[in-house]
Amino acid sequence: MKLWAVILALALGMALLPEFRDKSEITNRVVVTAVGIDEGEDGGCHLSVQAIETMKTSGSLSEQQDNATQVYEIDGQSVAGAMQTFATDTGRDTYILHNRVIALGLETVRSRTLPALLDYFMRNHESRPMVNLVICRGEASGLLNTPSSSYPIPAEQITKLLQEGRRWGTVVGSSLLDTERALSGMTDALLPIVTVKGEGEDASVSMDGTAVFRNGALAGELDEDGTRGLLFAQNDIDQCLYVLELDDGRSATVEVHKSTTKVSVRKKGTTAEFTFRVICKAEITEDYGDGALNDAQTEELCWKIEQAVIADMHAALDTTINQLGCDVLGLGRMVKKKLPALVRGREEQWPAKLKDCDFSLHVDAQIDRSGMTSGER
C-alpha cells in the first residue's frame, strides 16, 4: 500500500513539473505559421491555417526532408468563429505567437474592408505586430498550400520573398503594425500582392504589385515602377536597379543606393505645392558597350538615372492621388501640421484637394566612380 502511495505521489509530482505541463500544452496546440482568409459560404469566412505538426517533427526543423507543416481548412461566420470551429472540431487550440504571414484573398479584399478582415488579429494579444500581410491573387488558400523546396516552413519562403523585395525596391512595408497605423488615419494603407504560378511541386510564388486602399477599402493597384517610385517618395528605399540606354544606343545597368528624400510644402493660393528632393548614389553594375564610358556618357547616364527616378515617382503620385484619390504618403497630415490655416474649417475637403496641389520632383544622382575601371575614371 505504501509502495502504491509513493508511486502515485511521484506521478503526480512529475505531472506538475513545468516541462511536463508545457509538453502537454504543445501537443494540444498547433503552432500557426501562416493564416489565409478567403470568402466562405453564405457570406462567412474560409480560413486556411498553416501550422507546424509538433508530433510529426523530429529533431531540428532544418533536418526535415519534407515541409514540417500542414494546412487546415475551416469555415466560420468570422475569423474568430473559424478559429473556434477549429478548436471544437479538432480538440486543439491555435498558437499564433509564431505566425509569420497573414494572406488575404484578392476577391475577399474586394468585398470586405481591411478593418473587418484584420480586427481579430489586432485585438488578439498573442498576435505579433510585425507579422507580414500580403494579398494573393486568387485565393489565399492556394498560397498557403504552395510547398517550398527551400524551407521546412513554407511561410518562411514568403517572408524571405518580402524581405528581398523590400531590399530591392519592389515591395512596400507590410506588417500588421504598419497597416493598423494607416487605418488609424495616419495615411491610406498599402499591401504587397503576390501571385502563385504553376501547380503542385512546380508551383512558385512571386511579387505582383501593390494594393492601394482608401479608408480601408481596396481602391486600386500600383505596378512595380509605381511601387518603386512610392518607396523613393517615402524615403524608404534601400537600393534598386535600372537598365538604361544612352542616346548612342549603349546600355548599362546601374544600382541606385544611399538614397535620401526630403519633402517640403508651401502655400500656393488655396492649395499647396509639395517639393520632393531626392539625393542618391549609383554604381554601374554592368556595361554593355565596348571600352570605358567617357565623361559625357557618364554625365548623360546620371541624367538618365534622375529621369527614371522622377518617372517612377510621378507614376506613384499620379496613380495614388489623381486616379485613386488616396493619400498613402500622409501629405494631408503634413499640410495640417505645416499650414494649419490652409486646412482649418476645410478638413473634410483635403483628401480630395490633393488632386489640385502641385508637385515638384527633383533628383540629384551621382555615379560612384570607385567601381569603374581606370579608363572610365
Side-chain angles (χ1 to χ4, degrees):
M1 186 65 181
K2 291 183 178 180
L3 179 61
W4 281 107
V6 172
I7 294 175
L8 181 60
L10 287 173
L12 181 60
M14 293 175 67
L16 292 175
L17 289 174
E19 58 265 29
F20 283 88
R21 295 201 307 271
D22 292 346
K23 182 177 180 181
S24 176
E25 289 178 2
I26 290 175
T27 56
N28 288 335
R29 285 185 168 191
V30 290
V31 181
V32 177
T33 58
V35 176
I37 304 175
D38 292 305
E39 281 290 295
E41 298 179 357
D42 301 325
C45 171
H46 180 80
L47 210 65
S48 304
V49 178
Q50 183 189 101
I52 299 174
E53 281 295 339
T54 55
M55 297 297 291
K56 294 182 179 180
T57 56
S58 58
S60 172
L61 285 175
S62 60
E63 298 174 357
Q64 302 298 316
Q65 294 182 353
D66 300 316
N67 290 156
T69 57
Q70 180 175 333
V71 178
Y72 299 89
E73 307 285 349
I74 317 107
D75 285 291
Q77 289 301 309
S78 64
V79 175
M83 287 291 191
Q84 182 183 4
T85 299
F86 174 82
T88 55
D89 287 353
T90 64
R92 305 171 72 185
D93 198 4
T94 53
Y95 184 66
I96 64 173
L97 185 61
H98 296 291
N99 186 25
R100 291 165 169 78
V101 176
I102 299 173
L104 308 175
L106 183 57
E107 294 305 317
T108 305
V109 173
R110 286 190 173 127
S111 61
R112 303 189 189 192
T113 64
L114 286 181
L117 291 169
L118 300 175
D119 187 67
Y120 170 81
F121 301 99
M122 292 178 180
R123 293 176 183 271
N124 194 319
H125 69 278
E126 288 187 351
S127 186
R128 296 172 59 241
M130 300 309 295
V131 62
N132 293 295
L133 300 184
V134 298
I135 292 177
C136 179
R137 294 199 188 277
E139 295 185 345
S141 61
L143 175 64
L144 267 62
N145 279 285
T146 302
S148 172
S149 59
S150 305
Y151 297 86
I153 300 176
E156 291 182 348
Q157 183 164 354
I158 301 173
T159 300
K160 186 64 175 178
L161 183 68
L162 293 171
Q163 289 175 348
E164 288 300 305
R166 185 75 183 272
R167 188 165 73 94
W168 286 100
T170 60
V171 175
V172 295
S174 60
S175 72
L176 180 64
L177 181 60
D178 292 333
T179 305
E180 187 173 6
R181 286 174 174 171
L183 294 176
S184 69
M186 295 181 66
T187 63
D188 282 320
L190 299 162
L191 288 180
I193 303 174
V194 300
T195 185
V196 179
K197 299 178 181 178
E199 297 180 355
E201 297 296 329
D202 297 327
S204 63
V205 181
S206 60
M207 303 309 305
D208 197 17
T210 301
V212 183
F213 294 82
R214 174 68 181 141
N215 294 328
L218 182 65
E221 298 180 14
L222 283 172
D223 59 13
E224 182 176 322
D225 293 343
T227 300
R228 184 169 52 242
L230 184 65
L231 291 173
F232 270 111
Q234 289 178 321
N235 191 29
D236 198 22
I237 193 163
D238 291 332
Q239 57 196 24
C240 65
L241 289 179
Y242 285 108
V243 180
L244 303 172
E245 183 177 344
L246 301 180
D247 292 342
D248 60 5
R250 183 170 182 163
S251 297
T253 300
V254 294
E255 177 185 316
V256 177
H257 55 270
K258 296 181 180 179
S259 173
T260 301
T261 303
K262 293 184 178 180
V263 185
S264 60
V265 60
R266 69 180 184 90
K267 186 176 181 297
K268 189 174 184 180
T270 59
T271 60
E273 179 182 19
F274 295 92
T275 300
F276 291 78
R277 297 187 183 277
V278 180
I279 299 176
C280 60
K281 300 286 187 180
E283 180 179 346
I284 300 174
T285 59
E286 193 172 4
D287 182 7
Y288 306 102
D290 295 327
L293 289 172
N294 57 40
D295 290 342
Q297 289 173 319
T298 302
E299 184 177 347
E300 182 187 352
L301 187 59
C302 279
W303 183 82
K304 292 281 186 179
I305 294 170
E306 294 167 355
Q307 295 306 303
V309 175
I310 289 174
D312 286 346
M313 292 175 64
H314 182 270
L317 294 171
D318 181 62
T319 301
T320 58
I321 295 175
N322 295 330
Q323 298 180 30
L324 303 179
C326 299
D327 182 10
V328 296
L329 296 172
L331 299 179
R333 287 174 57 87
M334 178 181 287
V335 173
K336 292 178 183 179
K337 182 178 179 180
K338 302 289 186 179
L339 305 170
L342 192 61
V343 180
R344 190 175 298 117
R346 298 184 292 272
E347 288 82 2
E348 298 300 324
Q349 301 176 13
W350 260 97
K353 286 184 73 68
L354 285 176
K355 295 181 179 180
D356 301 326
C357 294
D358 291 335
F359 296 89
S360 180
L361 309 179
H362 305 273
V363 179
D364 180 13
Q366 296 180 354
I367 292 181
D368 184 359
R369 305 179 73 88
S370 63
M372 294 183 174
T373 65
S374 58
E376 289 175 312
R377 295 175 194 168

